[in-house]
């Protein structure tokens, strides 16, 4: 029998759902899963009929980071983990951040190591109350990767980020929400209904403006205030030329809800 696909892709309306699918290994990343995931993201990002992407995991885990069985070394061998990041993780994180549409992550269970940080790269993160976030790197003698050392201090502040990285202790979904690491913790049975409803709602909104908004947020990590103000002017000029801006203003003036077309 052939191996099941490590990533499942489905479309409902304008929402593409991408599911990590190695449940027996808590959806840990293999090279094959990386290739399939990146291809799925690139396709959804380029597909104009898709206006929101929902990422989740099959089974009881979201993603346990790198598949450590792929990292078994023969005596005397040294792995180039930097190459693995440059080839697989870094392009994935950048693809999520720069996708011209919202990416929602439904963290259905444990998110460890690079699995946690790929979730945090998404635009809105919902987690099941039973899920945990583990910056597991130091437990195996590694440093945070997949954007963790960028995202965590910005999301929760330096003190909490440092302690999570140094200790590698699990953070509950509730604490993750209370600390501002994620958007919301919800009851386990509510996770997929709420994540799907959120994705469907976002898919009805002004997609072009969202793409421009994501550009602004991406650049704000390194821009000065002057640079960011200039970028806002450029992006707003472009948003002002969109069909959705016309639709939004006309609907406001008519006292009706807008029906955005995503352009
Ligand atoms: C796994 C894994 C896993 C393989 C569970 N691999 N099988 C690293 C290197 C290279 C380049 C780039 O970046 C990175 C970054 C990283 O991601 S480093 C961090 C790697 N991840 C970890 O260190 C986490 C390892 N896993 C765990 O600590 C636990 O499994 C957690 C806390 C996630 C879940 O614990 P439990 O709920 O008790 O589940 P379990 O440990 O029993 O796991 C279930 C199965 O999944 C089990 O397989 P088995 O065949 O025995 O049932 C595990 O071996 C397998 N699994 N994580 N990363």
């Amino acid at each position: 029998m052939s191996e099941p696909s490590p990533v499942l892709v489905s479309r409902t309306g304008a929402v593409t759902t991408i599911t990590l699918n190695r449940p027996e290994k808590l959806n840990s990343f293999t090279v094959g899963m990386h290739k399939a995931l990146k291809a799925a993201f690139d396709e959804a990002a380029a597909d104009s009929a898709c206006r929101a992407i929902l990422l989740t995991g099959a089974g009881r885990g979201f993603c346990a980071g790198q598949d450590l069985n792929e990292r078994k070394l023969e005596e005397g061998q040294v792995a180039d983990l930097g190459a693995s990041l440059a080839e697989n993780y870094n392009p994935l994180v950048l693809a999520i951040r720069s996708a011209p549409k919202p990416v929602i992550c439904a963290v259905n269970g444990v998110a460890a190591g690079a699995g946690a940080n790929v979730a945090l790269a998404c635009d809105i993160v919902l987690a099941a109350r039973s899920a945990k976030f583990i910056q597991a790197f130091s437990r195996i003698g590694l440093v945070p990767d997949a954007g963790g050392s960028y995202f965590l201090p910005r999301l929760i502040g330096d003190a909490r980020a440092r302690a999570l990285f140094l200790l590698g202790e699990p953070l509950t979904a509730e604490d993750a929400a209370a600390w501002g690491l994620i958007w919301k913790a919800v009851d386990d049975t509510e996770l997929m209904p709420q994540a799907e409803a959120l994705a469907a709602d976002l898919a009805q909104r002004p997609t072009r403006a969202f793409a421009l908004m994501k550009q602004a947020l991406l650049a704000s990590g390194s821009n000065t205030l002057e640079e960011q103000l200039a970028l806002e002017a450029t992006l707003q000029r472009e948003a002002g030329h969109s069909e959705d801006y016309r639709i939004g203003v006309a609907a406001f003036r008519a006292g009706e809800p807008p029906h955005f077309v995503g352009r």
Side-chain angles (χ1 to χ4, degrees):
M1 231 171 64
S2 63
E3 285 268 298
S5 171
V7 167
L8 305 175
V9 183
S10 64
R11 256 274 297 283
T12 305
V15 177
T16 298
T17 300
I18 300 177
T19 306
L20 307 177
N21 189 39
R22 300 182 65 241
E24 69 292 348
K25 297 294 175 195
L26 303 181
N27 304 316
S28 51
F29 282 111
T30 56
V31 170
M33 191 165 98
H34 267 297
K35 299 282 173 246
L37 183 57
K38 181 67 170 37
F41 258 106
D42 288 347
E43 204 168 307
D47 179 0
S48 61
C50 161
R51 291 172 61 190
I53 300 171
L54 175 56
L55 175 67
T56 192
R60 72 176 178 89
F62 171 69
C63 176
Q66 171 65 37
D67 183 319
L68 297 174
N69 293 319
E70 244 190 13
R71 292 276 162 255
K72 264 193 251 152
L73 296 173
E74 300 299 327
E75 189 67 34
Q77 269 188 323
V78 182
D80 183 353
L81 302 188
S84 159
L85 291 172
E87 281 161 31
N88 297 311
Y89 290 89
N90 298 356
L92 174 64
V93 167
L94 290 173
I96 294 172
R97 282 269 142 164
S98 57
K101 53 200 72 175
V103 182
I104 299 96
C105 187
V107 179
N108 52 299
V110 68
N117 296 337
V118 164
L120 299 180
C122 297
D123 296 306
I124 300 186
V125 185
L126 294 181
R129 230 174 276 288
S130 67
K132 290 187 171 48
F133 294 81
I134 313 177
Q135 294 295 324
F137 307 91
S138 66
R139 291 185 183 189
I140 56 167
L142 292 182
V143 301
D145 64 20
S149 61
Y150 182 93
F151 298 130
L152 259 74
R154 286 171 167 79
L155 288 166
I156 59 176
D158 194 66
R160 283 172 161 167
R162 273 173 202 258
L164 289 181
F165 291 143
L166 290 167
L167 299 171
E169 282 177 5
L171 186 71
T172 64
E174 297 231 346
D175 283 344
W179 287 14
L181 191 73
I182 63 168
W183 171 236
K184 259 184 198 173
V186 302
D187 289 343
D188 288 20
T189 52
E190 277 300 302
L191 179 70
M192 288 318 289
Q194 286 204 27
E196 281 162 2
L198 178 64
D201 175 2
L202 287 166
Q204 305 281 312
R205 294 185 188 231
T207 313
R208 183 70 196 132
F210 285 164
L212 299 169
M213 187 188 297
K214 286 184 67 167
Q215 278 184 40
L217 290 169
L218 193 58
S220 79
S222 56
N223 269 352
T224 61
L225 175 61
E226 284 81 359
E227 288 164 341
Q228 194 66 13
L229 288 170
L231 179 63
E232 285 179 1
T234 302
L235 297 174
Q236 199 69 295
R237 183 173 301 118
E238 198 170 331
H241 291 141
S242 71
E243 210 172 321
D244 280 340
Y245 173 58
R246 263 186 289 140
I247 290 170
V249 173
F252 173 79
R253 289 166 63 96
E256 290 166 359
H259 297 289
F260 293 118
V261 292
R263 300 185 293 274

